[in-house]
Amino acid sequence: MGKPNAQEVHKFLASAYGIPKKIHNGPVETLIITILSQNTNDKNRDIAYSRFRKKFRTWESARIAPLSSIERAIRPAGLSKSKSKSIKFALKRIKKERGAYSLAFLRKKPLEEARGYLLSFPGVGLKTAAVVLSFSLGKPAFPVDTHIFRVSKRLGLIPEKTTVEKAHELLEAAIPPEKRHSLHLLLIQHGRKICHARKPECPACFLREICAYKFKTRI
């Protein structure tokens, strides 16, 4: 059995789950939410962001606030010392360079130029940059989270020993630009529903016949 290609996986997943609706939030909001999401789960991220926005009704109020105040607000997300510094730096830099809290100018930039700008912010890695590009700026970036990293390796879309950084490069190159946003969401959905980190439900998986996972169980 040969290894599946990304378009084949997209076809199977879209047939099973449907094409997900595109999600678009403001790029500054997405940047902060994604920084909060690093190394934590969605629940803790959402609690932290809710506390952050309750404490700081405007980006300006967060920018001028003491770092300790931001840190306390986002504590449920973990790593609050480093994340508070990243958030405050981002708000200060955006306001200084753009005169307003907006990253909309990146929509007109080529993908790699926009990516490079976001990666120049402390605390912003490939995944965070790709989320902002894909979800808020309409760019064909492909974020790789823990679900996608796991499922892609099991399927055989990327080699077993691929690093997370290399996975971004390989998967983005393998997926047509117009399908990157939807495949990102579909792979996450599949990772949560069937291809769990522990005890993947291989017998119930409609990808099992094209999956390269060597430990899969069959019906």
Side-chain angles (χ1 to χ4, degrees):
M1 179 186 67
K3 293 182 179 180
N5 60 56
Q7 293 203 62
E8 187 177 17
V9 172
H10 184 280
K11 180 181 177 180
F12 275 96
L13 292 175
S15 178
Y17 300 128
I19 298 292
K21 293 182 179 179
K22 288 191 174 183
I23 301 172
H24 290 292
N25 295 314
V28 175
E29 179 183 16
T30 300
L31 176 61
I32 292 175
I33 290 173
T34 312
I35 288 172
L36 291 174
S37 75
Q38 296 167 0
N39 298 293
T40 193
N41 57 44
D42 292 351
K43 180 180 178 181
N44 290 338
R45 174 205 64 197
D46 292 344
I47 292 172
Y49 186 67
S50 177
R51 283 166 51 114
F52 176 78
R53 292 317 305 263
K54 185 176 180 179
K55 177 71 175 177
F56 307 108
R57 300 291 184 178
T58 65
W59 301 134
E60 177 68 12
S61 64
R63 182 185 69 87
I64 64 175
L67 198 59
S68 59
S69 184
I70 298 176
E71 185 183 337
R72 285 194 298 272
I74 68 171
R75 191 160 288 151
L79 302 175
S80 56
K81 284 187 179 294
S82 59
K83 290 180 182 179
S84 59
K85 290 178 182 177
S86 298
I87 290 169
K88 190 171 177 68
F89 179 92
L91 292 173
K92 288 174 69 175
R93 179 176 169 185
I94 293 167
K95 178 65 182 294
K96 180 180 179 180
E97 293 183 353
R98 311 307 306 172
Y101 297 102
S102 173
L103 292 171
F105 77 100
L106 292 176
R107 290 193 179 96
K108 297 181 180 179
K109 301 291 184 182
L111 173 60
E112 291 309 319
E113 186 177 341
R115 194 197 318 267
Y117 177 81
L118 291 170
L119 289 173
S120 70
F121 283 73
V124 174
L126 286 170
K127 176 199 163 187
T128 299
V131 169
V132 176
L133 291 166
S134 177
F135 283 73
S136 297
L137 296 167
K139 299 290 185 183
F142 188 80
V144 178
D145 76 340
T146 55
H147 295 292
I148 292 172
F149 191 52
R150 176 180 72 253
V151 175
S152 296
K153 279 188 174 184
R154 286 176 176 171
L155 285 171
L157 292 176
I158 54 176
E160 180 76 22
K161 295 183 179 180
T162 302
T163 64
V164 176
E165 291 74 19
K166 188 66 175 179
H168 278 86
E169 177 188 336
L170 294 177
L171 289 170
E172 195 166 282
I175 303 164
E178 70 276 7
K179 293 182 178 178
R180 290 174 190 166
H181 187 85
S182 57
L183 185 55
H184 166 83
L185 295 171
L186 287 166
L187 284 170
I188 290 175
Q189 189 171 1
H190 193 65
R192 288 173 172 168
K193 287 191 172 184
I194 293 177
C195 197
H196 312 297
R198 298 180 182 178
K199 297 182 180 179
E201 298 178 36
C202 298
C205 182
F206 47 85
L207 294 176
R208 63 183 176 272
E209 296 304 324
I210 63 169
C211 177
Y213 186 43
K214 60 185 176 182
F215 298 115
K216 67 184 174 185
T217 54
R218 294 183 176 273
I219 297 173

